[in-house]
Amino acid sequence: MRDEKDGFWNPEVELMGAEDIRRLQLERLKGVLQRCKNSPFYRRWFRDAGFDPDAVRTLEDLRSLPPMDKDTLRSVEPWEFLTVPREDIVRMHSSSGTTGRATVIFHTWKDIQAWTELGARCLYMTGVRRSDVFQNMMGYGLFTGGLGFHYAAERLGAMVIPSGSGNSKRQIYLMREFGTTVIHVIPSYALYLLDVFREMGLDPRRDTRLRIALVGAEPHTESLRRRLEEAYGFKAYNSYGLSEMSGPGVAFECPFQEGMHVWEDAFILEVLDPRTLEPVPEGEEGELVFTTLHREGMPLLRYRTRDLAFVYPGRCRCGREHRRISRIKGRSDDMFIVKGVNIFPMQVEKVLLETVGVGTNYQIVLDMVGSREEMRVRVEVTDEIWHGDVRELQSLQKRITAALRDEILVTPIVELVEPGSLPKGEGKAVRVVDRRVDLGGE
Ligand SMILES: [Zn+2]
């Protein structure tokens, strides 16, 4: 069937030249806009913006339509977005909705197939093959991380172990019993799992057959990736997706690991300045904004992700001309301000994971002490440090404080804590606990 040597799941699309991609995008965009006329929401949205979907001649013409965001999705009944009859919908997914009403995405059968196809493309690109055993350690359910790649791995022909999230000892048992070679995992959980391996007297390098990890669903640093690769002996590939764009499979790393290729036959990517909503100059950091080109049930036009990243210049050595985005620096929503300084949790993580003696979990706690803001970074240390010489603990604390001050320009209180003592959820890690009262902002 497919040539195993070439490394491309869908060579025709993956090796399309940049100009052909643009041409395909325009053709598909026109189709999407026609389809949107069936949706009560889009009819209003177009009318209010004075946007004529029939007048679109170039990709740039789309810019006269205002971008939409989570609030836009929440502001109307989700059914109003549909461009197909309700009975054509076969599945819904929803974001976690931790802040306000959850956002809902509806999928037709064709939508699920298209998403599966993109996922298979991602997996194949990293070297996953039919002979692999794919342990899917993502939550199944409304969250898209689980089901998205479950079907993708099956489509590819790998054997899937739908282990879901949590239950760490069982995860390790399954890995060993069934010879898992590929895992799909949240990076903070993979880091935590190392503690469980150690507790069980096991070494993942020696005692598993893992060779590939697909890590995604939360922003993480390059240092965290390297740490996982060293400890597990696998190659970790960065994955990008969000439920509004169906889920994982929007962008993925190729074997060269220099940014994640956005599948531009399926999405129009824009990188905008989040304040002015104008495109940033090529290569500069901005907010990722996507338009779906392959979704029929509920297309989204110019959807603001809040994710900040930049586009790599030039061509990738793998031959794909689908543009590459950088690792996500953080969601603009994740950024917090202490003493007037903008800080991303990722900056703190980078410092911590580059420091020897730091364990597998950390937490940032923000408090008001009188009228003064206080930033506390609670850091789990390794067993060796915790049970070792107290002077080493003190010296580690000083080193972390100094390194954090250099990175974030604020001096936090660094508190070193016992391994395993910080709260650990099974899903995405909660890195920042903000206990400050309303600071009189918005
Ligand atoms: Zn590449």
Side-chain angles (χ1 to χ4, degrees):
M1 284 209 334
R2 286 189 164 93
D3 183 5
E4 292 266 331
K5 281 174 293 180
D6 64 13
F8 299 91
W9 174 256
N10 186 342
E12 197 193 327
V13 174
E14 289 178 57
L15 289 172
M16 209 175 248
E19 286 206 357
D20 287 337
I21 293 175
R22 306 287 161 256
R23 205 170 302 132
L24 179 67
Q25 284 185 324
L26 180 60
E27 185 190 310
R28 291 197 171 162
L29 174 65
K30 287 178 178 172
V32 171
L33 292 174
Q34 289 309 312
R35 174 173 284 286
C36 284
K37 291 181 187 171
N38 298 332
S39 142
F41 165 79
Y42 281 113
R43 281 200 299 270
R44 278 201 312 274
W45 190 249
F46 292 166
R47 194 191 55 220
D48 293 351
F51 175 83
D52 178 3
D54 297 321
V56 168
R57 298 280 175 269
T58 66
L59 289 170
E60 286 68 36
D61 289 345
L62 184 62
R63 285 196 207 135
S64 54
L65 192 69
M68 58 172 71
D69 59 13
K70 243 187 176 60
D71 291 335
T72 322
L73 288 182
R74 285 180 187 140
S75 67
V76 293
E77 275 289 313
W79 300 108
E80 293 197 23
F81 277 89
L82 290 193
T83 64
V84 295
R86 277 195 199 200
E87 56 268 30
D88 286 357
I89 297 303
V90 301
R91 200 198 295 168
M92 65 160 282
H93 276 287
S94 167
S95 66
S96 53
T98 42
T99 52
R101 186 163 143 193
T103 51
V104 174
I105 300 294
F106 294 114
H107 299 272
T108 64
W109 171 248
K110 237 175 107 185
D111 290 339
I112 298 286
Q113 299 314 307
W115 178 23
T116 301
E117 189 63 26
L118 286 185
R121 207 191 278 180
C122 295
L123 300 182
Y124 199 84
M125 179 163 69
T126 66
V128 180
R129 295 294 181 269
R130 290 170 56 82
S131 50
D132 277 301
V133 178
F134 179 88
Q135 191 164 329
N136 195 12
M137 298 159 71
M138 290 285 182
Y140 279 71
L142 287 172
F143 173 59
T144 53
L147 284 169
F149 274 1
H150 174 102
Y151 289 111
E154 286 185 353
R155 165 77 60 91
L156 196 148
M159 181 179 106
V160 177
I161 304 179
S163 60
S165 62
N167 208 340
S168 306
K169 287 196 171 136
R170 187 167 176 79
Q171 297 282 7
I172 293 172
Y173 162 77
L174 289 168
M175 269 178 212
R176 287 164 48 77
E177 184 69 16
F178 299 101
T180 301
T181 52
V182 182
I183 54 172
H184 180 209
V185 66
I186 291 178
S188 61
Y189 185 71
L191 191 60
Y192 162 75
L193 207 59
L194 287 173
D195 287 344
V196 185
F197 269 106
R198 207 171 303 125
E199 255 170 54
M200 295 169 76
L202 297 172
D203 173 357
R205 274 181 171 272
R206 186 191 61 209
D207 301 314
T208 72
R209 293 194 203 165
L210 296 177
R211 60 183 201 92
I212 294 175
L214 314 168
V215 294
E218 68 184 8
H220 59 285
T221 55
E222 188 61 28
S223 325
L224 176 50
R225 184 229 296 265
R226 294 301 161 214
R227 195 156 168 162
L228 293 175
E229 287 186 332
E230 267 163 42
Y232 281 95
F234 53 44
K235 201 160 174 196
Y237 291 91
N238 206 352
S239 156
Y240 176 76
L242 61 160
S243 65
E244 294 87 341
M245 293 297 123
S246 298
V250 177
F252 223 82
E253 276 181 341
C254 71
F256 292 97
Q257 295 189 313
E258 289 166 343
M260 296 177 277
H261 290 283
V262 173
W263 298 122
E264 294 188 280
D265 56 311
F267 304 97
I268 294 175
L269 163 69
E270 296 175 81
V271 186
L272 303 185
D273 179 324
R275 284 159 309 209
T276 62
L277 297 180
E278 288 299 316
V280 298
E282 188 80 44
E284 278 185 25
E285 186 178 274
E287 180 177 341
L288 303 179
V289 173
F290 289 104
T291 296
T292 60
L293 293 174
H294 68 322
R295 217 157 57 198
E296 63 170 17
M298 187 173 167
L300 292 184
L301 307 177
R302 306 198 77 205
Y303 184 77
R304 293 184 62 180
T305 62
R306 309 282 165 188
D307 290 331
L308 302 176
F310 62 86
V311 169
Y312 277 82
R315 280 191 197 178
C316 184
R317 286 178 284 161
C318 73
R320 292 175 185 85
E321 295 188 24
H322 295 258
R323 285 182 298 162
R324 291 166 297 156
I325 51 170
S326 67
R327 168 181 292 289
I328 305 302
K329 178 179 171 190
R331 302 218 149 178
S332 50
D333 297 352
D334 291 343
M335 191 189 78
F336 56 92
I337 302 176
V338 175
K339 296 174 186 172
V341 181
N342 296 347
I343 302 172
F344 284 96
M346 287 302 100
Q347 294 175 280
V348 175
E349 177 174 307
K350 176 170 166 281
V351 167
L352 295 179
L353 293 181
E354 281 166 1
T355 309
V356 178
V358 167
T360 55
N361 205 352
Y362 69 92
Q363 193 178 48
I364 300 162
V365 183
L366 307 173
D367 265 315
M368 284 305 284
V369 179
S371 60
R372 197 166 44 81
E373 287 176 89
E374 185 185 271
M375 174 178 171
R376 183 178 293 268
V377 182
R378 310 183 68 208
V379 185
E380 284 185 14
V381 295
T382 59
D383 269 321
E384 298 78 61
I385 292 278
W386 187 253
H387 296 295
D389 191 334
V390 70
R391 277 169 303 184
E392 266 198 53
L393 206 59
Q394 285 163 347
S395 129
L396 177 63
Q397 197 246 7
K398 277 193 192 129
R399 270 184 291 136
I400 294 176
T401 309
L404 281 175
R405 188 183 50 227
D406 288 347
E407 172 70 31
I408 61 178
L409 311 175
V410 165
T411 309
I413 297 168
V414 173
E415 189 185 334
L416 301 184
V417 302
E418 194 176 352
S421 63
L422 291 176
K424 173 67 207 135
E426 286 174 353
K428 302 183 193 189
V430 178
R431 295 305 196 190
V432 184
V433 179
D434 196 346
R435 297 195 293 221
R436 295 173 296 184
V437 283
D438 186 4
L439 290 170
E442 18 171 27

